[in-house]
Short mmCIF file of all heavy atoms in Angstrom, two decimals:
data_model
loop_
_atom_site.label_atom_id
_atom_site.label_comp_id
_atom_site.label_asym_id
_atom_site.label_seq_id
_atom_site.Cartn_x
_atom_site.Cartn_y
_atom_site.Cartn_z
N MET A 43 85.43 156.87 67.91
CA MET A 43 86.76 157.33 68.26
C MET A 43 87.15 156.74 69.61
O MET A 43 86.34 156.69 70.56
CB MET A 43 86.81 158.82 68.33
CG MET A 43 86.65 159.56 66.99
SD MET A 43 86.62 161.33 67.14
CE MET A 43 88.22 161.68 67.73
N THR A 44 88.40 156.36 69.75
CA THR A 44 88.90 155.98 71.07
C THR A 44 89.12 157.18 71.90
O THR A 44 89.13 158.34 71.41
CB THR A 44 90.20 155.18 70.89
OG1 THR A 44 91.17 156.07 70.35
CG2 THR A 44 90.01 153.95 70.01
N LYS A 45 89.27 156.94 73.19
CA LYS A 45 89.54 158.08 74.15
C LYS A 45 90.84 158.80 73.74
O LYS A 45 90.89 160.02 73.80
CB LYS A 45 89.62 157.60 75.55
CG LYS A 45 88.35 157.57 76.25
CD LYS A 45 87.78 158.95 76.34
CE LYS A 45 86.55 158.99 77.22
NZ LYS A 45 85.78 160.20 77.02
N LEU A 46 91.82 158.03 73.31
CA LEU A 46 93.07 158.65 72.90
C LEU A 46 92.88 159.59 71.74
O LEU A 46 93.35 160.72 71.70
CB LEU A 46 94.15 157.61 72.54
CG LEU A 46 95.44 158.11 72.00
CD1 LEU A 46 96.15 158.99 73.09
CD2 LEU A 46 96.32 156.97 71.60
N ALA A 47 92.08 159.15 70.73
CA ALA A 47 91.82 159.95 69.55
C ALA A 47 91.07 161.21 69.98
O ALA A 47 91.33 162.32 69.44
CB ALA A 47 91.06 159.18 68.49
N GLN A 48 90.10 161.08 70.87
CA GLN A 48 89.33 162.25 71.32
C GLN A 48 90.23 163.27 72.01
O GLN A 48 90.16 164.48 71.77
CB GLN A 48 88.23 161.77 72.29
CG GLN A 48 87.14 161.05 71.64
CD GLN A 48 86.08 160.55 72.63
OE1 GLN A 48 86.26 160.67 73.83
NE2 GLN A 48 85.03 159.96 72.11
N TRP A 49 91.14 162.76 72.91
CA TRP A 49 92.05 163.67 73.59
C TRP A 49 92.99 164.33 72.59
O TRP A 49 93.31 165.55 72.70
CB TRP A 49 92.84 162.91 74.64
CG TRP A 49 92.09 162.76 75.88
CD1 TRP A 49 91.47 161.64 76.34
CD2 TRP A 49 91.92 163.76 76.90
NE1 TRP A 49 90.86 161.95 77.54
CE2 TRP A 49 91.12 163.18 77.93
CE3 TRP A 49 92.36 165.06 77.06
CZ2 TRP A 49 90.74 163.89 79.10
CZ3 TRP A 49 91.99 165.79 78.22
CH2 TRP A 49 91.19 165.17 79.19
N LEU A 50 93.51 163.59 71.64
CA LEU A 50 94.41 164.18 70.62
C LEU A 50 93.71 165.23 69.81
O LEU A 50 94.33 166.29 69.47
CB LEU A 50 95.02 163.05 69.77
CG LEU A 50 96.02 162.14 70.45
CD1 LEU A 50 96.46 161.05 69.50
CD2 LEU A 50 97.19 162.96 71.01
N TRP A 51 92.49 164.96 69.38
CA TRP A 51 91.74 165.97 68.63
C TRP A 51 91.51 167.23 69.47
O TRP A 51 91.68 168.31 69.01
CB TRP A 51 90.41 165.43 68.18
CG TRP A 51 90.47 164.73 66.83
CD1 TRP A 51 90.43 163.41 66.63
CD2 TRP A 51 90.63 165.34 65.57
NE1 TRP A 51 90.55 163.17 65.28
CE2 TRP A 51 90.68 164.33 64.59
CE3 TRP A 51 90.76 166.65 65.14
CZ2 TRP A 51 90.81 164.57 63.24
CZ3 TRP A 51 90.92 166.92 63.80
CH2 TRP A 51 90.94 165.90 62.87
N ALA A 52 91.13 167.07 70.72
CA ALA A 52 90.92 168.20 71.61
C ALA A 52 92.19 169.00 71.80
O ALA A 52 92.19 170.25 71.75
CB ALA A 52 90.36 167.74 72.95
N LEU A 53 93.33 168.30 72.02
CA LEU A 53 94.60 168.98 72.15
C LEU A 53 95.01 169.74 70.87
O LEU A 53 95.54 170.83 70.91
CB LEU A 53 95.71 168.03 72.58
CG LEU A 53 95.63 167.55 74.01
CD1 LEU A 53 96.69 166.47 74.25
CD2 LEU A 53 95.87 168.71 74.97
N ALA A 54 94.77 169.08 69.72
CA ALA A 54 95.11 169.72 68.47
C ALA A 54 94.25 170.97 68.24
O ALA A 54 94.73 172.01 67.81
CB ALA A 54 94.90 168.74 67.33
N LEU A 55 92.97 170.88 68.59
CA LEU A 55 92.09 172.04 68.41
C LEU A 55 92.47 173.18 69.41
O LEU A 55 92.59 174.36 68.96
CB LEU A 55 90.64 171.60 68.71
CG LEU A 55 89.57 172.63 68.50
CD1 LEU A 55 89.49 173.05 67.07
CD2 LEU A 55 88.17 172.13 68.98
N LEU A 56 92.72 172.84 70.63
CA LEU A 56 93.14 173.88 71.58
C LEU A 56 94.50 174.46 71.22
O LEU A 56 94.74 175.67 71.32
CB LEU A 56 93.15 173.33 73.00
CG LEU A 56 91.81 173.03 73.63
CD1 LEU A 56 91.95 172.32 74.93
CD2 LEU A 56 91.01 174.31 73.78
N GLY A 57 95.43 173.58 70.77
CA GLY A 57 96.75 174.06 70.40
C GLY A 57 96.71 174.97 69.22
O GLY A 57 97.42 175.99 69.12
N SER A 58 95.82 174.64 68.25
CA SER A 58 95.70 175.50 67.06
C SER A 58 95.11 176.84 67.43
O SER A 58 95.59 177.88 66.95
CB SER A 58 94.82 174.83 66.05
OG SER A 58 95.40 173.61 65.62
N ALA A 59 94.10 176.86 68.28
CA ALA A 59 93.56 178.09 68.75
C ALA A 59 94.51 178.93 69.49
O ALA A 59 94.64 180.19 69.26
CB ALA A 59 92.29 177.81 69.58
N TRP A 60 95.30 178.28 70.36
CA TRP A 60 96.35 179.03 71.15
C TRP A 60 97.41 179.60 70.19
O TRP A 60 97.75 180.76 70.36
CB TRP A 60 96.97 178.09 72.14
CG TRP A 60 98.11 178.70 72.86
CD1 TRP A 60 98.06 179.55 73.91
CD2 TRP A 60 99.51 178.57 72.57
NE1 TRP A 60 99.33 179.93 74.30
CE2 TRP A 60 100.24 179.30 73.48
CE3 TRP A 60 100.18 177.77 71.60
CZ2 TRP A 60 101.61 179.37 73.43
CZ3 TRP A 60 101.57 177.86 71.56
CH2 TRP A 60 102.24 178.63 72.49
N ALA A 61 97.83 178.80 69.24
CA ALA A 61 98.87 179.29 68.31
C ALA A 61 98.33 180.42 67.48
O ALA A 61 99.04 181.45 67.25
CB ALA A 61 99.34 178.12 67.39
N ALA A 62 97.06 180.37 67.02
CA ALA A 62 96.51 181.39 66.22
C ALA A 62 96.41 182.71 66.99
O ALA A 62 96.70 183.78 66.53
CB ALA A 62 95.13 180.98 65.67
N LEU A 63 95.95 182.60 68.26
CA LEU A 63 95.82 183.79 69.08
C LEU A 63 97.18 184.38 69.47
O LEU A 63 97.37 185.56 69.45
CB LEU A 63 94.98 183.48 70.31
CG LEU A 63 93.49 183.19 70.10
CD1 LEU A 63 92.88 182.74 71.36
CD2 LEU A 63 92.79 184.41 69.56
N THR A 64 98.11 183.49 69.81
CA THR A 64 99.43 183.93 70.26
C THR A 64 100.26 184.53 69.11
O THR A 64 100.97 185.55 69.32
CB THR A 64 100.18 182.79 70.84
OG1 THR A 64 99.40 182.24 71.94
CG2 THR A 64 101.51 183.22 71.48
N LEU A 65 100.17 183.99 67.95
CA LEU A 65 101.03 184.41 66.83
C LEU A 65 100.41 185.54 66.05
O LEU A 65 100.95 185.99 65.05
CB LEU A 65 101.33 183.26 65.94
CG LEU A 65 102.13 182.14 66.61
CD1 LEU A 65 102.29 180.97 65.69
CD2 LEU A 65 103.46 182.67 67.12
N GLY A 66 99.20 186.03 66.47
CA GLY A 66 98.67 187.28 65.88
C GLY A 66 97.73 187.08 64.76
O GLY A 66 97.58 187.98 63.90
N ALA A 67 96.99 185.98 64.72
CA ALA A 67 95.98 185.82 63.69
C ALA A 67 94.82 186.81 63.93
O ALA A 67 94.21 187.30 62.95
CB ALA A 67 95.37 184.41 63.67
N LEU A 68 94.54 187.15 65.18
CA LEU A 68 93.62 188.19 65.54
C LEU A 68 94.36 189.34 66.09
O LEU A 68 95.45 189.19 66.70
CB LEU A 68 92.58 187.66 66.56
CG LEU A 68 91.66 186.56 66.08
CD1 LEU A 68 90.78 186.06 67.21
CD2 LEU A 68 90.79 186.98 64.92
N ASP A 69 93.81 190.56 65.92
CA ASP A 69 94.51 191.70 66.46
C ASP A 69 94.16 191.92 67.92
O ASP A 69 93.22 192.56 68.27
CB ASP A 69 94.08 192.94 65.60
CG ASP A 69 94.97 194.16 65.94
OD1 ASP A 69 96.09 193.93 66.34
OD2 ASP A 69 94.47 195.28 65.75
N LEU A 70 94.91 191.20 68.76
CA LEU A 70 94.72 191.28 70.21
C LEU A 70 95.70 192.28 70.81
O LEU A 70 96.82 192.45 70.31
CB LEU A 70 94.95 189.95 70.81
CG LEU A 70 93.94 188.84 70.53
CD1 LEU A 70 94.41 187.52 71.16
CD2 LEU A 70 92.60 189.19 71.00
N PRO A 71 95.32 192.95 71.89
CA PRO A 71 96.28 193.83 72.60
C PRO A 71 97.45 193.01 73.09
O PRO A 71 97.33 191.83 73.35
CB PRO A 71 95.47 194.42 73.73
CG PRO A 71 94.06 194.11 73.42
CD PRO A 71 94.00 193.02 72.49
N SER A 72 98.59 193.63 73.30
CA SER A 72 99.79 192.93 73.69
C SER A 72 99.60 192.37 75.12
O SER A 72 100.25 191.32 75.42
CB SER A 72 101.00 193.85 73.64
OG SER A 72 100.79 194.96 74.54
N SER A 73 98.80 192.98 75.93
CA SER A 73 98.60 192.49 77.29
C SER A 73 97.90 191.12 77.23
O SER A 73 98.20 190.22 78.03
CB SER A 73 97.78 193.44 78.12
OG SER A 73 96.51 193.67 77.58
N CYS A 74 96.99 190.92 76.27
CA CYS A 74 96.33 189.60 76.12
C CYS A 74 97.32 188.56 75.62
O CYS A 74 97.31 187.43 76.07
CB CYS A 74 95.17 189.70 75.15
SG CYS A 74 93.79 190.62 75.81
N ARG A 75 98.20 188.99 74.74
CA ARG A 75 99.21 188.03 74.23
C ARG A 75 100.18 187.64 75.28
O ARG A 75 100.64 186.51 75.35
CB ARG A 75 99.93 188.65 73.03
CG ARG A 75 99.26 188.30 71.72
CD ARG A 75 100.18 188.51 70.55
NE ARG A 75 99.32 189.05 69.55
CZ ARG A 75 99.46 190.25 68.97
NH1 ARG A 75 100.46 190.99 69.34
NH2 ARG A 75 98.67 190.70 68.08
N GLU A 76 100.49 188.55 76.17
CA GLU A 76 101.40 188.22 77.26
C GLU A 76 100.79 187.16 78.22
O GLU A 76 101.51 186.36 78.81
CB GLU A 76 101.74 189.46 78.06
CG GLU A 76 102.70 190.41 77.31
CD GLU A 76 102.96 191.70 78.05
OE1 GLU A 76 102.53 191.79 79.23
OE2 GLU A 76 103.57 192.60 77.47
N VAL A 77 99.47 187.22 78.35
CA VAL A 77 98.78 186.27 79.17
C VAL A 77 98.70 184.91 78.46
O VAL A 77 98.80 183.87 79.06
CB VAL A 77 97.39 186.73 79.56
CG1 VAL A 77 96.60 185.66 80.23
CG2 VAL A 77 97.48 187.95 80.46
N LEU A 78 98.60 184.96 77.14
CA LEU A 78 98.44 183.70 76.37
C LEU A 78 99.72 182.86 76.28
O LEU A 78 99.64 181.64 76.15
CB LEU A 78 97.94 184.04 74.96
CG LEU A 78 96.52 184.41 74.81
CD1 LEU A 78 96.17 184.87 73.38
CD2 LEU A 78 95.60 183.23 75.18
N TRP A 79 100.88 183.49 76.29
CA TRP A 79 102.13 182.73 76.10
C TRP A 79 102.33 181.67 77.17
O TRP A 79 102.60 180.54 76.83
CB TRP A 79 103.35 183.66 76.10
CG TRP A 79 103.63 184.23 74.76
CD1 TRP A 79 103.46 185.49 74.35
CD2 TRP A 79 104.14 183.57 73.61
NE1 TRP A 79 103.80 185.64 73.02
CE2 TRP A 79 104.20 184.45 72.55
CE3 TRP A 79 104.47 182.17 73.37
CZ2 TRP A 79 104.62 184.05 71.33
CZ3 TRP A 79 104.88 181.83 72.11
CH2 TRP A 79 104.96 182.77 71.10
N PRO A 80 102.16 181.94 78.45
CA PRO A 80 102.41 180.86 79.43
C PRO A 80 101.17 180.00 79.72
O PRO A 80 101.22 179.11 80.56
CB PRO A 80 102.80 181.61 80.70
CG PRO A 80 102.12 182.91 80.55
CD PRO A 80 102.09 183.27 79.09
N LEU A 81 100.10 180.20 78.95
CA LEU A 81 98.87 179.49 79.27
C LEU A 81 99.01 177.96 79.18
O LEU A 81 98.49 177.24 80.03
CB LEU A 81 97.74 179.98 78.30
CG LEU A 81 96.34 179.46 78.58
CD1 LEU A 81 95.88 179.96 79.95
CD2 LEU A 81 95.37 179.90 77.49
N PRO A 82 99.73 177.39 78.20
CA PRO A 82 99.89 175.91 78.19
C PRO A 82 100.56 175.37 79.47
O PRO A 82 100.21 174.32 79.99
CB PRO A 82 100.73 175.65 76.95
CG PRO A 82 100.41 176.79 76.08
CD PRO A 82 100.23 177.97 76.98
N ALA A 83 101.56 176.11 79.93
CA ALA A 83 102.25 175.71 81.18
C ALA A 83 101.30 175.78 82.33
O ALA A 83 101.27 174.82 83.22
CB ALA A 83 103.48 176.58 81.43
N TYR A 84 100.50 176.80 82.42
CA TYR A 84 99.49 176.85 83.53
C TYR A 84 98.53 175.74 83.45
O TYR A 84 98.11 175.11 84.48
CB TYR A 84 98.75 178.19 83.52
CG TYR A 84 99.60 179.42 83.84
CD1 TYR A 84 99.32 180.66 83.25
CD2 TYR A 84 100.68 179.32 84.67
CE1 TYR A 84 100.08 181.77 83.56
CE2 TYR A 84 101.44 180.45 84.97
CZ TYR A 84 101.12 181.66 84.40
OH TYR A 84 101.85 182.75 84.67
N LEU A 85 98.03 175.40 82.26
CA LEU A 85 97.12 174.31 82.11
C LEU A 85 97.72 172.96 82.47
O LEU A 85 97.09 172.09 83.05
CB LEU A 85 96.55 174.27 80.66
CG LEU A 85 95.66 175.49 80.26
CD1 LEU A 85 95.26 175.42 78.82
CD2 LEU A 85 94.43 175.51 81.17
N LEU A 86 98.98 172.77 82.08
CA LEU A 86 99.68 171.55 82.38
C LEU A 86 99.87 171.39 83.91
O LEU A 86 99.61 170.32 84.47
CB LEU A 86 101.01 171.51 81.70
CG LEU A 86 101.80 170.21 81.82
CD1 LEU A 86 101.02 169.10 81.12
CD2 LEU A 86 103.19 170.36 81.21
N VAL A 87 100.24 172.46 84.61
CA VAL A 87 100.36 172.38 86.04
C VAL A 87 99.00 172.18 86.73
O VAL A 87 98.86 171.37 87.65
CB VAL A 87 101.03 173.69 86.58
CG1 VAL A 87 100.91 173.81 88.11
CG2 VAL A 87 102.46 173.76 86.13
N SER A 88 97.97 172.80 86.19
CA SER A 88 96.59 172.58 86.76
C SER A 88 96.17 171.17 86.54
O SER A 88 95.60 170.54 87.48
CB SER A 88 95.61 173.51 86.09
OG SER A 88 95.94 174.87 86.29
N ALA A 89 96.38 170.57 85.39
CA ALA A 89 96.05 169.20 85.16
C ALA A 89 96.82 168.26 86.05
O ALA A 89 96.28 167.26 86.59
CB ALA A 89 96.32 168.82 83.68
N GLY A 90 98.10 168.57 86.29
CA GLY A 90 98.87 167.73 87.23
C GLY A 90 98.39 167.81 88.66
O GLY A 90 98.28 166.79 89.36
#
């Protein structure tokens, strides 16, 4: 796999996990969901 493919797979995996947790695939308390919603923005700012 090229580095681009590796990064895209990792982003797809993390995005799927984030979407599953945020949209209620698991029964999480609402306080956890409130923390999960802005998580991609926090990660993007941290990477920058």
Side-chain angles (χ1 to χ4, degrees):
M43 291 177 63
T44 62
K45 270 299 187 195
L46 176 63
Q48 290 176 354
W49 278 100
L50 290 176
W51 271 107
L53 286 173
L55 184 64
L56 289 173
S58 300
W60 174 80
L63 291 172
T64 303
L65 299 175
L68 296 175
D69 191 26
L70 293 175
S72 64
S73 61
C74 288
R75 269 198 219 116
E76 288 176 8
V77 170
L78 285 173
W79 274 110
L81 189 62
Y84 292 150
L85 292 176
L86 187 64
V87 168
S88 297

